[in-house]
Amino acid sequence: MASEKEKDQYDYLFKFIIIGDAGAGKSCLLHQFIENRYKKGSSHTIGVEFGSKIIHVGGRNIKLQIWDTAGQERYRSVTRSYYRGAAGALIVYDITNRDSYNHLVNWLQDARTLARADTSIITVGNKCDMKDKRAVTFLEASRCAQENDILFLETSALTGEGVEDVFIKVARVILNKIEDGLIDPNTMVSGTHTGSQRIGSDSGGEAMSSKTCSC
Amino acid sequence: MKKSRRLGSGEDGGAATSEALAEPGQRPVAAELQPAEGAASARAPEGEAPGSAVASGAAPLSAAGLEATALEELQRARAGGRSEASAAEHDGPRERAQEQRPDSATAEEAEVESASPGAGPALPQGVGELIEADVLRTFPNNAAFQQMGGPDQLRRVLRQLALDDAELGYCQSLNFVAAVFIMVLREDRLALPAMRQTLVKLGARCWYTDGMRQLRADTVVLEDLVRARLPDVHRTFQIHRFDLLMVVSKWFLCLYATVMEGETLRRVWDAMLCDGVEALFRVALATLACREEAITQARSIDDLLHMFQDWTPGTGPGPEKLLRAAYDERLVGRLSRAWLAGQRRLAVQRVATADTRLEMRQQALWRGGVRPASVLAHG
């Protein structure tokens, strides 16, 4: 890990959260993105998992700090403290499971109220390799996303199809917002940071007076 | 701290447990874990020699589980209880070491199956499906668990648990706890009451119910303990704004079953069955204390998060060191049961108040800026 730190050079740090119903494939999606392979025999997430990766978008190095949450309803009280300050949110549903799609609205509401008002949100229809069991059409989901003014993509965490695109797409939107002056990366609570603040600086500089979990 | 000495210096984990189980003035864990329905079947054959039972148990269980210690005592106590009514409760377990469960318990299993509805309609929508999905995701790589028909037993235990206690229902993580009990007790009919009683003993039922209030409260208690007893660790957490709930949810909800294995897990569960929730707090503190150096060297929250995530089973300090630390008064300090109970109660109140406030804030938001006070007034 020490060696990783040396090459930990980035321009911006974006915090992402992955939310959605249990069994939609959130952890597999994250694993596919970080490790570039499918996570076999994985178990469900208890609480939250975490992953980070540096991607190159629009000539910038962006570090994504990704929080993968447990999907079961009753974990919401635990996971909601991790929404805070997220610059990007991935709402994952399973295209073979109608219920997980129907719950999109609830997740969307959570993301909007608990993260940031200007969080960039993408709906991710996962398991698109299972076309024969499809219960939600591409058109329907894409229309729903449009109505709610959020992005939409279909992915397969199994084959890796579309997975990287999801993260890059959201990162690009956030980057555009920063460059258009809609988001000031320096004033954010913890959703994005400029890299220069962190690299080589004493970590004490990061500590803010407010407490994390008292939302 | 009598117990601390015993467990702390416990070269003999199993014996320590037995002593603790027999401690006067304290109801033995084995007795508490006796299933309520009692001696339904009197079949307690003596087919296997004690040694072979342990040996045959060791191979399959060592992969993720537990064997010859407290939990096996429970099994024996149960076996005794079945053949000789209630006599097993206080002086029983060790004398009945010979009695083992039959390997061919098909008749009993059939009985259980008919007792608990296989695909009963009573479970609320979604719960059955979630259990089904998680049964397949519980220790899928543990050959022993798979071979012993673990998934089927697990399904029955989880369904029955959810049927009996609608509020508890099914919470993800209970599957790991149940799976460990199944691996040790080897029968779902024993695992089910053991699980119920453990939740009662630990005061942990509300970890799993909606809102997870007790879990969040216990995190607050642990945070206070870390602040007082491991100030450097606490300072590091504060600097990086690291929230203990992130790891505590995993440690506590699964009773360490996903972050420890083998002897370490056995010893921790031994301590837990003896001392209750106090042991879980001690182990949490000891875990942090044993890695204090690594924690305090973390340079960012990423470091901390990766560090905690990399603590997979087998990377820990080892059972001996961990348990010693957990019961080391210089390290963990005094931790009395009564004090802990008081702290937990207070913390629940704090969490509840915070929840109410949050709810009011959100309501106010949805109602277009009504102030919390007026929300209260309107009930």
Side-chain angles (χ1 to χ4, degrees), chain B residues 49-267:
Chain B
S52 81
V54 172
S56 71
L61 291 173
S62 55
L66 312 158
E67 63 210 282
T69 50
L71 289 154
E72 198 152 310
E73 295 283 333
L74 295 178
Q75 181 187 352
R76 288 182 202 138
R78 175 74 182 102
R82 265 187 289 155
S83 57
E84 290 176 38
S86 64
E89 286 208 2
H90 282 273
D91 56 353
R94 271 162 294 162
E95 281 78 356
R96 287 178 188 77
Q98 283 95 335
E99 295 170 351
Q100 289 299 324
R101 87 172 262 284
D103 273 327
S104 55
T106 43
E108 287 181 6
E109 265 159 31
E111 195 183 310
V112 171
E113 219 156 1
S114 63
S116 57
L123 281 178
Q125 199 223 340
V127 177
E129 288 86 339
L130 193 57
I131 289 177
E132 198 51 45
D134 286 352
V135 161
L136 303 174
R137 299 196 276 181
T138 308
F139 298 132
N141 302 322
N142 185 325
F145 181 66
Q146 300 299 323
Q147 276 160 21
M148 68 182 286
D152 289 335
Q153 300 198 40
L154 182 62
R155 178 180 302 114
R156 288 197 289 270
V157 170
L158 294 177
R159 288 187 70 96
Q160 197 58 49
L161 205 64
L163 280 172
D164 293 347
D165 185 344
E167 196 199 350
L168 177 66
Y170 169 64
C171 176
Q172 292 188 318
S173 67
L174 283 174
N175 56 323
F176 292 111
V177 179
V180 173
F181 270 121
I182 288 168
M183 279 191 273
V184 176
L185 299 170
R186 327 223 47 178
E187 278 186 62
D188 48 352
R189 53 184 294 148
L190 304 183
L192 182 65
M195 212 165 143
R196 270 194 213 122
Q197 295 298 322
T198 305
L199 293 191
V200 172
K201 181 176 173 67
L202 298 179
R205 188 176 157 278
C206 291
W207 282 353
Y208 303 96
T209 49
D210 197 31
M212 299 189 158
R213 198 165 271 180
Q214 187 68 55
L215 179 75
R216 291 182 289 134
D218 286 342
T219 308
V220 172
V221 174
L222 183 64
E223 208 178 331
D224 289 346
L225 282 167
V226 173
R227 182 185 297 122
R229 296 173 190 192
L230 301 166
D232 291 345
V233 171
H234 185 260
R235 206 182 138 265
T236 310
F237 286 170
Q238 274 217 310
I239 288 172
H240 302 306
R241 312 171 83 215
F242 176 80
D243 184 357
L244 255 182
L245 183 60
M246 206 178 146
V247 289
V248 171
S249 51
K250 211 162 296 171
W251 294 353
F252 279 11
L253 289 178
C254 302
L255 306 180
Y256 297 99
T258 55
V259 291
M260 292 175 188
E261 64 181 9
E263 183 65 13
T264 312
L265 184 61
R266 282 192 286 277
R267 294 284 295 277

Side-chain angles (χ1 to χ4, degrees), chain A residues 1-2 4-6 8 13 22-23 40-52 63-65 67 70-75 77-82 84 99 109 113-114 189-190 198 203-204 206-208 210-215, chain B residues 125 130 134 137-138 140-141 167-173 175-176 208-212 215-216 223 227 238-243 245-247 249-250 253-254 297-303 305-307 309-310 354-355 358 361-362 365-366:
Chain A
M1 266 182 53
E4 269 175 36
K5 240 172 271 165
E6 309 318 317
D8 212 10
L13 172 73
K40 263 196 195 150
S42 70
S43 59
H44 45 269
T45 309
I46 310 288
V48 282
E49 296 283 342
F50 174 81
S52 61
K63 180 167 182 173
L64 300 184
Q65 193 187 64
W67 301 70
Q72 197 184 7
E73 169 88 22
R74 64 182 69 185
Y75 277 93
S77 58
V78 169
T79 54
R80 69 181 173 212
S81 51
Y82 303 105
R84 209 158 89 126
D99 281 346
Q109 188 178 22
T113 49
L114 296 169
V189 181
S190 56
R198 297 189 129 218
S203 45
E206 247 201 305
M208 301 199 183
S210 66
K211 263 200 79 186
T212 328
C213 60
S214 59
C215 55
Chain B
Q125 199 223 340
L130 193 57
D134 286 352
R137 299 196 276 181
T138 308
N141 302 322
E167 196 199 350
L168 177 66
Y170 169 64
C171 176
Q172 292 188 318
S173 67
N175 56 323
F176 292 111
Y208 303 96
T209 49
D210 197 31
M212 299 189 158
L215 179 75
R216 291 182 289 134
E223 208 178 331
R227 182 185 297 122
Q238 274 217 310
I239 288 172
H240 302 306
R241 312 171 83 215
F242 176 80
D243 184 357
L245 183 60
M246 206 178 146
V247 289
S249 51
K250 211 162 296 171
L253 289 178
C254 302
Q297 278 171 5
R299 292 200 293 173
S300 67
I301 189 167
D302 289 36
D303 283 0
L305 292 166
H306 282 301
M307 187 190 303
Q309 233 161 260
D310 292 344
D355 278 357
L358 179 73
R361 264 211 303 273
Q362 285 183 344
L365 200 68
W366 293 333

